[in-house]
């Protein structure tokens, strides 16, 4: 595995791969790797000649009171895991390397962001879109892999690729979970032991939604209320949102039909956790 920290070196490497006609599968991450990330790599290996992963904790996508400074980092461990998983090229730039310019442009995501995490984290998707435009230009991937755990991100990135004409195929990957159903996340390390036990309520509330819908419930408000009630009565977490939309266009539904996204965010003392499920109704 080759490790590259400069944009210029990465561009040279990518150019030489392109000249050899190689396809590049790209897995952008913020590091502190877990099985979720490694599953994206596994998917990328199946389809691409060359697998590139980026590890970059992007300050632009963190709000002023969020966890940029204390976001977990362990590059030595990440290097090992990435190598074992079969990453060919690890792009690990510094913040200074990625944002060396005085910015002339400020990107603003206009659609799909006044709901879910977008409404709770103002500017988050502007930062995500900005860094992805840069990474897509630097890495020039044939395929880009994103986890469905961040379903709103998948929806926004799909529009970004379409609207800015990136010749990239977005490949969404199912959420990888712990044995009890908790979605794997770099932020799970912030949970206390007691909170870790309770955190399974997110997954359980999604399962409850599935059962209700499978039994014929089509009113999103009824499903949402049942989920909120379940979370409140089974944990000490504060609910950030429980929301239901069509997917991937993220439109409000009065009756559940078609492909729907059911998404949850809850907060414990030191951590905010998200999860979701898509289902065809
Ligand atoms: P992050 O490092 O948290 O920015 O995540 C990098 C990529 O890994 C994103 O596309 C995430 O959606 C994806 N990802 C994170 N957690 C999981 C998971 N549990 N299962 C599948 N993909 C995930």
């Amino acid at each position: 595995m080759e490790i590259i920290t400069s944009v210029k070196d990465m561009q040279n490497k990518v150019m030489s791969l392109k000249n050899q006609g190689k396809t590049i599968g790209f897995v952008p991450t913020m590091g502190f790797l877990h099985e979720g990330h490694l599953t994206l790599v596994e998917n990328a290996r199946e389809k691409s000649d060359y697998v590139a992963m980026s590890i970059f904790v992007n300050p632009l996508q963190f709000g002023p009171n969020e966890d940029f400074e204390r976001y977990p980092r362990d590059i030595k461990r990440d290097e090992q895991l990435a190598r074992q998983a079969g990453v060919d090229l690890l792009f690990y730039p510094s913040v200074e390397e990625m944002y060396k310019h005085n910015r002339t442009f400020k990107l603003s995501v206009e659609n799909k962001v006044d709901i879910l995490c977008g409404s709770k984290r103002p500017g988050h998707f502007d930062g995500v879109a900005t860094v992805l435009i840069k990474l897509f230009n630097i890495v020039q991937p044939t395929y880009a892999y994103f986890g469905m755990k961040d379903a709103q991100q998948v929806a926004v990135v799909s529009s970004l690729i379409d609207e800015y004409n990136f010749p990239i195929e977005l490949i969404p990957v199912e959420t990888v979970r712990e044995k009890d159903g908790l979605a794997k996340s770099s932020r799970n390390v912030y949970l206390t032991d007691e909170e870790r036990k309770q955190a399974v309520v997110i997954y359980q509330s999604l399962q409850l939604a599935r059962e209700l819908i499978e039994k014929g419930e089509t009113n999103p408000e009824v499903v949402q209320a049942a989920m909120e009630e379940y979370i409140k009565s089974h944990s000490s977490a504060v609910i950030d949102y429980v929301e239901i939309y069509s997917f991937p266009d993220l439109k409000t539904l009065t009756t559940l039909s078609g492909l729907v996204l059911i998404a949850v965010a809850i907060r414990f003392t030191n951590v905010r956790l998200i999860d979701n499920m898509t289902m065809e109704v």
Side-chain angles (χ1 to χ4, degrees), residues 6-238:
S6 105
V7 170
K8 193 88 226 132
D9 290 349
M10 190 70 189
Q11 284 173 320
N12 288 336
K13 178 72 196 184
V14 164
M15 200 179 316
S16 105
L17 290 172
K18 293 265 158 173
N19 286 341
Q20 296 166 48
K22 303 278 192 210
T23 55
I24 301 175
F26 179 40
V27 179
T29 81
M30 298 202 298
F32 212 68
L33 302 178
H34 53 67
E35 265 174 62
H37 300 113
L38 303 179
T39 303
L40 301 190
V41 172
E42 213 173 280
N43 279 262
R45 276 169 53 104
E46 277 167 22
K47 237 175 134 92
S48 324
D49 299 324
Y50 221 81
V51 177
M53 170 186 275
S54 61
I55 294 185
F56 182 62
V57 185
N58 174 33
L60 287 194
Q61 70 190 65
F62 288 77
N65 298 317
E66 292 184 359
D67 56 347
F68 173 69
E69 296 296 343
R70 68 183 181 102
Y71 193 84
R73 294 162 170 92
D74 189 343
I75 188 63
K76 282 292 158 231
R77 180 174 161 272
D78 285 352
E79 270 177 39
Q80 239 173 21
L81 289 172
R83 187 174 287 115
Q84 281 163 12
V87 170
D88 298 297
L89 193 53
L90 182 65
F91 182 48
Y92 175 56
S94 65
V95 171
E96 295 70 34
E97 177 67 7
M98 284 296 273
Y99 297 117
K100 56 171 73 156
H101 315 88
N102 275 327
R103 290 173 73 197
T104 314
F105 303 97
K106 187 168 185 307
L107 198 83
S108 161
V109 183
E110 294 294 321
N111 246 318
K112 301 183 170 180
V113 292
D114 54 349
I115 53 168
L116 300 165
C117 290
S119 73
K120 305 287 174 187
R121 305 182 67 189
H124 169 70
F125 285 106
D126 300 348
V128 169
T130 305
V131 80
L132 284 178
I133 289 176
K134 290 170 71 73
L135 289 170
F136 286 167
N137 281 324
I138 297 164
V139 179
Q140 296 182 43
T142 323
Y143 310 103
Y145 294 80
F146 288 86
M148 276 301 289
K149 164 148 180 295
D150 300 282
Q152 188 174 21
Q153 175 167 272
V154 168
V156 170
V157 175
S158 153
S159 296
L160 179 74
I161 287 175
D162 270 4
E163 289 174 31
Y164 284 82
N165 309 100
F166 285 105
I168 298 173
E169 188 182 334
L170 186 165
I171 305 195
V173 177
E174 276 312 307
T175 302
V176 178
R177 301 176 178 284
E178 303 287 353
K179 277 206 182 69
D180 64 357
L182 177 67
K184 300 228 178 205
S185 165
S186 307
R187 290 185 170 102
N188 289 350
V189 294
Y190 297 147
L191 292 165
T192 64
D193 290 348
E194 178 54 31
E195 289 171 344
R196 171 62 190 85
K197 281 185 209 142
Q198 293 182 12
V200 69
V201 290
I202 312 183
Y203 180 66
Q204 288 170 343
S205 72
L206 291 167
Q207 294 307 108
L208 172 66
R210 181 186 294 282
E211 279 165 30
L212 288 172
I213 295 167
E214 278 172 356
K215 280 189 192 138
E217 184 56 66
T218 57
N219 183 342
E221 284 176 18
V222 171
V223 176
Q224 191 183 333
M227 292 172 72
E228 288 180 356
E229 178 51 36
Y230 186 89
I231 294 168
K232 279 184 204 151
S233 57
H234 290 83
S235 77
S236 60
V238 176

